[in-house]
Amino acid sequence: MDQTPDQTPAQRRARSPHGSPSLSQFQSHHASHDREIESLDEFDRVVSSPGSLAHHRVQAVDLTGRTDALLAADPTGAVFLGCPMDPGAAARVRAAGALVFPPIPGLPFDPYRARVYSPDELYARLDEDYGATPDALAYDWFQQTKADGDVFASMLRAIHDDAVSDALDELVTGARVVGVMGGHAMARGTAEYAGAARLGRELARAGLTVATGGGPGAMEAANLGAYAAPFDDGMLDEALMLLAKVPSFAPSIADWARSAFEVRERWPGGGASIGIPTWFYGHEPPNAFAAHIAKYFANATREDGLLARATAGVVFLPGAAGTLQEIFDNATPNYYESRGEPTPMVLVDREHWTETLPAWPLLRSLAKGRTMESRIALVGRIDEAPEALKRIGG
C-alpha cells in the first residue's frame, strides 16, 4: 500500500484498505464543542500549545495568514469547514490526514458559519436599500434554488441550517429560555404591540432569555421589550412612540428596519434576546431588536428548534396560522413527554383562543389526565402572562 509522506504509523493504520482515510479517523472521542475552533484567536491558542490540530473542527476561520502553523501542526482527523487557506497548506493537511471542505464561491451566505447572525450583519448596506442587504440576497438565492431540484443547493441549505443550530445550542447553554410567539401583523403604535413589548421587558427583567420567531409584529415587540429591560421605564415609552411613525414593514422594509436601528442608536447597549426567523417566509424580514438571530432556510427545522430550546415555557400571543401551528408543535412533545417533563404553555386572549381560533378547548382536551394538564394556562390579558408562566412552571 502506498504511504503518504509526513504520515505517522497511526495515521497510516487509520486508512481504509483502498488507501483513503476511514471514518474512524475523523471521529473525536472528546466533547465536540471542546474541539471546535471558531475564531483566529482560538486557532492560535490551539496551535501554540500543545501545537496539535488533531480531531479539531475548524469552522469558517480565514487561515490564509497561518500557513506556517498549518504546515507544522498535526492535523490527524481534523476537519476544516469553509476555511480559506493557501493551496499548498490545504494540500499538506489533506495528505497528513485532514478533511478540507473549501469555501463556496458566489454564495450570499456562509454555509459553514460558526455563529448566529446579528442585526448589523443581516442589514449591512441598508443605507443603499433593503434589496442590497445580505438578508435580501440570501432570500433571493433561496427563491432561485428552492425548487430547481439541485442536490448541491439543497445540501448547502442543510449544512447552513445545521451550522446555525450548532451555534444556537452553544449560545443558549445554561440559559433559561422563554419563547414568545405571535403574529407578524401586529402593528407598531397599537396597544397590543405595546403590551407585547412590556411582556418581553418583564420576562427579561426576571432573568429569562426571550426568544421569538424573529420577525415583525408581536415578535419584534417582545424582542424590543427585552432590549429595553436595562433602561428605565420611560425609555420603552419613548421607543414605542418613535417606532409608531413606521407602523409596518409594508410597503417599505427599509424604512421599517431603519426606524429600529434609530432606536438602537439612541439607546445603545440594550438587553440581549434571540430571534429565530426563516427565509421560507421571505416577506417577513428579521427584526433588529434581537441581538442574536438564528435564521434558517428550512421552516420546519426553525420551528422545532425554537420550541425545543424554550425550556422555561412559551407564551402564545394572538396570531393566525403560524402561531396556531406553533401551539400544537409545542403540545405534541409535551403530550408524549418526548423531551422530558412538559414545559409551560400560556395562551393570551380568551376570546381569540376560544372563539376566533378555538385552540384552547382542543389543547385542554388533549392535556386532560396527562402531566401536561398542569402546565397549560389561558389568560385574558397580556399582563397576566408572566404570573401564569411562573405559576405553572414549577
Side-chain angles (χ1 to χ4, degrees):
M1 181 177 70
D2 292 338
Q3 294 182 354
T4 304
D6 300 327
Q7 283 191 310
T8 66
Q11 289 171 337
R12 290 194 289 272
R13 285 195 299 271
R15 299 180 75 84
S16 73
H18 301 290
S20 58
S22 66
L23 179 61
S24 62
Q25 180 176 344
F26 301 102
Q27 293 175 329
S28 173
H29 299 291
H30 303 271
S32 58
H33 288 311
D34 293 341
R35 290 269 164 167
E36 289 181 2
I37 297 175
E38 299 174 340
S39 71
L40 210 50
D41 286 343
E42 289 178 340
F43 178 86
D44 289 341
R45 285 197 298 271
V46 169
V47 297
S48 64
S49 176
S52 174
L53 291 168
H55 299 292
H56 280 76
R57 280 73 172 111
V58 191
Q59 194 172 350
V61 180
D62 188 342
L63 300 175
T64 51
R66 296 297 188 272
T67 298
D68 290 344
L70 287 167
L71 295 177
D74 174 16
T76 304
V79 180
F80 295 85
L81 299 168
C83 298
M85 64 180 77
D86 178 82
R92 189 266 167 184
V93 297
R94 282 195 192 99
L99 277 178
V100 179
F101 293 80
I104 311 297
L107 284 179
F109 62 93
D110 182 359
Y112 303 113
R113 62 179 302 111
R115 291 176 173 81
V116 297
Y117 294 94
S118 70
D120 294 304
E121 182 180 2
L122 287 175
Y123 279 112
R125 300 176 64 187
L126 181 64
D127 56 332
E128 300 175 31
D129 184 62
Y130 171 69
T133 66
D135 185 65
L137 294 174
Y139 176 64
D140 289 343
W141 178 88
F142 178 49
Q143 287 294 95
Q144 294 165 16
T145 62
K146 67 180 181 180
D148 64 6
D150 184 356
V151 67
F152 183 54
S154 62
M155 181 190 74
L156 292 174
R157 293 195 295 270
I159 291 172
H160 169 274
D161 286 2
D162 189 67
V164 168
S165 289
D166 180 69
L168 185 57
D169 283 337
E170 294 177 16
L171 179 68
V172 302
T173 298
R176 296 172 61 218
V177 179
V178 59
V180 179
M181 310 299 164
H184 69 268
M186 185 183 288
R188 296 168 171 177
T190 63
E192 292 78 13
Y193 185 95
R198 294 189 183 99
L199 170 66
R201 184 178 63 183
E202 185 168 348
L203 294 172
R205 286 178 174 176
L208 298 167
T209 297
V210 173
T212 78
M219 296 170 280
E220 181 190 50
N223 288 129
L224 166 64
Y227 186 88
F231 302 99
D232 61 44
D233 289 356
M235 174 270 177
L236 182 57
D237 294 335
E238 289 186 63
L240 290 168
M241 290 175 60
L242 291 172
L243 292 171
K245 297 175 183 178
V246 187
S248 174
F249 61 94
S252 173
I253 293 175
D255 290 346
W256 174 82
R258 287 185 190 119
S259 65
F261 280 103
E262 288 172 8
V263 169
R264 288 182 40 184
E265 289 167 8
R266 181 167 175 179
W267 292 281
S273 64
I274 299 170
I276 308 181
T278 173
W279 281 293
F280 181 80
Y281 294 133
H283 62 287
E284 294 184 16
N287 79 73
F289 293 111
H292 310 290
I293 301 177
K295 192 154 190 178
Y296 289 87
F297 288 106
N299 186 51
T301 305
R302 168 252 192 172
E303 291 278 9
D304 183 69
L306 196 168
L307 295 167
R309 291 172 177 87
T311 53
V314 183
V315 178
F316 297 92
L317 303 179
T323 310
L324 193 65
Q325 177 184 350
E326 289 161 348
I327 289 173
F328 291 102
D329 278 348
N330 198 44
T332 300
N334 281 348
Y335 179 89
Y336 289 111
E337 300 188 36
S338 55
R339 295 179 185 143
E341 285 287 315
T343 52
M345 299 176 64
V346 178
L347 278 61
V348 176
D349 193 326
R350 292 182 186 278
E351 182 179 354
H352 185 83
W353 295 122
T354 61
E355 298 180 22
T356 307
L357 291 175
W360 174 252
L362 180 55
L363 180 63
R364 187 173 56 183
S365 297
L366 190 68
K368 189 173 182 180
R370 305 187 74 87
T371 307
M372 69 177 287
E373 186 174 16
S374 63
R375 297 295 181 91
I376 63 172
L378 174 68
V379 298
R381 302 189 314 273
I382 200 167
D383 58 358
E384 298 175 297
E387 180 58 34
L389 191 66
K390 182 178 179 180
R391 184 179 71 251
I392 65 176

